[in-house]
């Protein structure tokens, strides 16, 4: 791929992320995230840094994390003052942000490149547990579940029964989950009526799979994961609170390629439990062959299972049309995705070896809203 093609690809990806964070009804706290990705799409230094990265490293996202990590350590004025910290609220964004970011990128270009070379982008958006819980209501399991979190990162998604959820629609709210949880996930229902269960299903076993599982007990790892979180005050606060839950309730994390590892991991889970595989923004980044191999192996696992996916359409960008689960995509999903990166919520079921599935809804990448289609 030529350098011009790489720049065009990164520009499209970064612009798509920015659009996802800047719809007409976006709250003010989203503006910094949108502006950061617009800068990556438009600033020559940032664009060149991202375009030099391998496409499978998620260049715009990885570079945004490197910027945040270095800013958090260096605390350059005035740039550091634009980024929220846990409990700080969202700082005011003004016209000084872009020049400060551009100057920082020019001064620290080599160090930003080294950070990108040494790390993977690991997005641990715990708010997506609200999307997963809505699908569990659609499944209505009458038995405990064995939860497998694919691409688990630090394992935040494995603790969904230890969070509290508040769904808001048309002036009404519904709260489910652990009433004693240290924090609450808020999800605005923009359309439809997601079948949120009255209680969170019992989790009989839980395990995460990742090519690089991460230990939140290590401060350096925790700092890098915090840098991967969008610089939006709600996301920053959610990560800090969920990290505390994970550290208090460590779950097993297995290192390995998810396609190669999932069969072995599932074989060790209790047979009486319903197997639930959860994938949030993971499969969209797999090569086509790996997605096909994963789908083909599910009936071979020899047990009833559900695969819950919250992923953008493939490819990541405005031309995407295909569900990562191979499910028919309604026109509404394509329309929403072309307006900005949007998660497509899908459910694929295996019962007695027979496979079925459907697209259920749409979700904001930062878990701010859910739109139910089914």
């Amino acid at each position: 791929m030529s350098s011009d093609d790489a720049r065009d690809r990164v520009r499209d990806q970064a612009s798509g992320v920015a659009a996802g964070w800047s719809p007409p009804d976006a709250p003010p706290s989203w503006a910094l995230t949108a502006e950061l990705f617009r800068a990556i799409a438009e600033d020559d230094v940032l664009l060149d840094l991202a375009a030099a990265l391998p496409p499978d490293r998620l260049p715009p996202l990885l570079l945004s994390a490197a910027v945040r990590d270095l800013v958090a350590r260096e605390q350059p004025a005035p740039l550091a003052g634009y980024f929220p910290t846990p409990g700080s609220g969202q700082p005011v964004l003004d016209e000084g942000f872009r020049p400060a970011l551009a100057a920082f990128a020019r001064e620290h270009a080599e160090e930003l490149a080294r950070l990108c070379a040494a790390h993977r982008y690991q997005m641990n958006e715990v708010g997506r547990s609200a999307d997963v819980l809505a699908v569990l209501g659609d499944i209505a399991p009458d038995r405990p579940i064995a939860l497998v979190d694919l691409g688990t990162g630090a394992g935040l998604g494995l603790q969904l029964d230890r969070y509290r959820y508040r769904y808001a629609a048309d002036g009404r709210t519904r709260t489910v989950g652990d009433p004693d949880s240290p924090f609450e996930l808020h999800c605005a229902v923009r359309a439809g009526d997601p079948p949120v269960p009255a209680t969170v299903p019992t989790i009989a076993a839980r395990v995460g799979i990742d090519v690089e599982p991460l230990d939140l007990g290590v401060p350096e790892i925790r700092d890098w994961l915090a840098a991967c979180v969008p610089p939006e005050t709600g996301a920053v606060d959610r990560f800090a609170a969920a990290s505390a839950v994970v550290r208090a309730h460590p779950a097993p994390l297995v290192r390995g390629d998810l396609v190669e590892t999932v069969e072995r991991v599932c074989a060790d889970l209790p047979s009486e439990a319903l197997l639930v595989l959860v994938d949030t923004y993971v499969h969209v980044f797999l090569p086509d062959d790996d997605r096909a191999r994963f789908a083909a192996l599910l009936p071979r696992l020899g047990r009833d299972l559900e695969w819950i996916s919250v992923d953008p359409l493939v490819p990541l960008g405005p031309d995407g049309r295909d569900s990562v689960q191979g499910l028919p995509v309604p026109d509404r999903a394509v329309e929403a995705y072309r307006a900005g990166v949007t998660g497509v919520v899908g459910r694929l079921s295996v019962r007695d070896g027979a496979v079925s599935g459907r697209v259920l809804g749409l979700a904001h990448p930062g878990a701010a809203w859910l739109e139910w289609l089914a």
Side-chain angles (χ1 to χ4, degrees):
M1 179 181 295
S2 71
S3 60
D4 286 344
D5 288 342
R7 284 168 60 92
D8 289 343
R9 184 197 68 245
V10 168
R11 185 182 293 110
D12 287 345
Q13 291 176 347
S15 297
V17 176
W21 284 92
S22 53
D25 58 349
S29 63
W30 291 14
L32 178 63
T33 302
E35 187 65 8
L36 175 59
F37 283 97
R38 276 194 290 267
I40 292 173
E42 298 169 3
D43 180 85
D44 284 338
V45 173
L46 291 167
L47 185 59
D48 284 342
L49 283 167
L53 299 172
D56 63 352
R57 299 290 296 279
L58 319 182
L61 298 169
L62 179 56
L63 179 58
S64 72
V67 167
R68 291 202 59 209
D69 183 69
L70 192 56
V71 167
R73 287 190 281 116
E74 298 287 336
Q75 289 295 303
L79 184 59
Y82 289 101
F83 291 93
T85 57
S88 71
Q90 190 75 35
V92 174
L93 176 66
D94 59 30
E95 65 278 1
F97 171 72
R98 184 72 77 90
L101 176 61
F104 182 79
R106 288 194 300 271
E107 182 179 354
H108 296 278
E110 291 185 4
E111 191 163 2
L112 289 170
R114 285 195 295 270
L115 279 170
C116 289
H119 290 86
R120 293 175 59 244
Y121 177 76
Q122 287 272 19
M123 177 55 187
N124 283 251
E125 176 48 81
V126 66
R128 293 171 188 158
S129 294
D131 306 329
V132 174
L133 183 59
V135 183
L136 288 174
D138 189 70
I139 296 168
D142 56 0
R143 51 180 164 155
I145 66 174
L147 179 65
V148 180
D149 191 26
L150 306 171
T152 193
L156 273 62
L158 287 169
Q159 308 293 336
L160 62 85
D161 56 332
R162 295 190 169 101
Y163 305 142
R164 187 171 63 255
Y165 306 82
R166 183 182 295 271
Y167 296 85
D170 300 325
R172 298 176 290 107
T173 61
R174 181 178 182 184
T175 303
V176 298
D178 182 358
D180 299 320
S181 178
F183 82 117
E184 184 174 83
L185 298 175
H186 294 256
C187 181
V189 179
R190 298 205 311 185
D193 186 20
V196 179
T199 59
V200 180
T202 299
I203 299 179
R206 68 190 87 205
V207 61
I209 301 174
D210 203 288
V211 295
E212 187 182 336
L214 299 165
D215 182 359
L216 283 168
V218 179
E220 294 81 4
I221 292 176
R222 192 161 65 247
D223 289 346
W224 174 253
L225 292 182
C228 291
V229 173
E232 189 276 330
T233 184
V236 169
D237 290 348
R238 284 194 301 273
F239 176 77
S243 296
V245 173
V246 169
R247 295 199 301 275
H249 303 279
L253 305 180
V254 176
R255 182 182 298 273
D257 173 271
L258 69 88
V259 181
E260 302 293 340
T261 308
V262 69
E263 188 168 5
R264 170 173 58 84
V265 168
C266 292
D268 293 334
L269 297 174
S271 59
E272 68 275 11
L274 175 65
L275 181 61
V276 176
L277 310 177
V278 174
D279 148 40
T280 61
Y281 281 69
V282 174
H283 269 70
V284 69
F285 299 118
L286 295 181
D288 293 346
D289 289 348
D290 283 353
R291 283 196 299 273
R293 288 169 55 220
F294 181 86
L297 71 79
L298 297 184
R300 302 201 303 268
L301 295 180
R303 58 187 293 174
D304 291 349
L305 66 85
E306 298 284 344
W307 172 19
I308 299 172
S309 169
V310 185
D311 274 283
L313 297 178
V314 182
L316 183 64
D319 295 329
R321 291 194 60 89
D322 301 322
S323 159
V324 301
Q325 296 176 307
L327 301 175
V329 178
D331 291 341
R332 172 65 190 127
V334 176
E335 172 192 356
Y337 189 66
R338 286 178 174 169
V341 174
T342 302
V344 175
V345 183
R347 169 192 174 189
L348 190 144
S349 307
V350 177
R351 294 291 186 275
D352 297 323
V355 180
S356 62
R358 56 184 174 144
V359 168
L360 299 173
L362 307 174
H364 181 261
W369 53 258
L370 178 64
E371 180 177 327
W372 204 250
L373 302 176

